[in-house]
Amino acid sequence: MIDHPETMISDRGRVLRRGIRHVTVTCKGLSKTIEQPGYYPDDPVDFDDAILVGSDLEPGDVALRELKEIADRIPRPETVRRIRTKLGLSQKAAGAILGGGPSAFDKYERAEAEPSQAMGNLLRLLDRHPELLQELRAEMPDEHR
């Protein structure tokens, strides 16, 4: 399918060239315009044959996570990492104390899984009131304190 690193042939036989287009990502009434790399036909308004490969998908994924953080209160990986670090917790300890298990925070921070809305609410609460972590720790077995 690839003729040259800068061009591709679509399934319909059209030549697509490597480039960037402005695309609007939307989520629950919110929107964000991003620069979307990919392979596009020469007609700037025709996206029917566009092909996105590999890391081309990242800008859209990042924008969607940003919008979901606002619309659904689902924290982005960067937000999860910032709050966990602020609380002085390792990923494993955060999973034990806050829930989700030993690898949950690793997955949240690598965008392999999204935290639940309940976890998002807990993280926001602890971000504003980190002293509440002591109450959670007090109820944990010694190895997680």
Side-chain angles (χ1 to χ4, degrees), residues 35-103:
E35 291 185 348
Q36 180 63 67
Y39 292 89
Y40 298 98
D42 289 332
D43 182 352
V45 295
D46 182 5
F47 287 97
D48 288 346
D49 281 342
I51 296 176
L52 307 179
V53 295
S55 63
D56 291 347
L57 300 172
E58 288 178 25
D61 291 345
V62 168
L64 185 57
R65 283 193 295 270
E66 289 173 1
L67 296 174
K68 286 179 82 170
E69 185 168 50
I70 297 165
D72 294 333
R73 304 183 74 135
I74 304 294
R76 295 177 296 141
E78 299 83 6
T79 302
V80 172
R81 183 179 301 111
R82 180 187 60 75
I83 295 170
R84 178 187 58 77
T85 301
K86 175 181 177 178
L87 296 172
L89 296 172
S90 67
Q91 290 176 336
K92 186 176 179 181
I97 296 169
L98 306 180
S103 63

Side-chain angles (χ1 to χ4, degrees), residues 101-139:
S103 63
F105 278 77
D106 176 56
K107 290 178 181 177
Y108 299 156
E109 293 176 24
R110 288 189 293 126
E112 287 187 8
E114 283 186 345
S116 66
Q117 192 173 37
M119 179 62 77
N121 289 337
L122 177 58
L123 289 169
R124 256 189 323 286
L125 183 64
L126 289 171
D127 190 27
R128 291 184 190 129
H129 302 283
E131 69 279 4
L132 295 176
L133 180 63
Q134 296 312 314
E135 289 185 42
L136 295 173
R137 276 190 160 148
E139 298 175 12

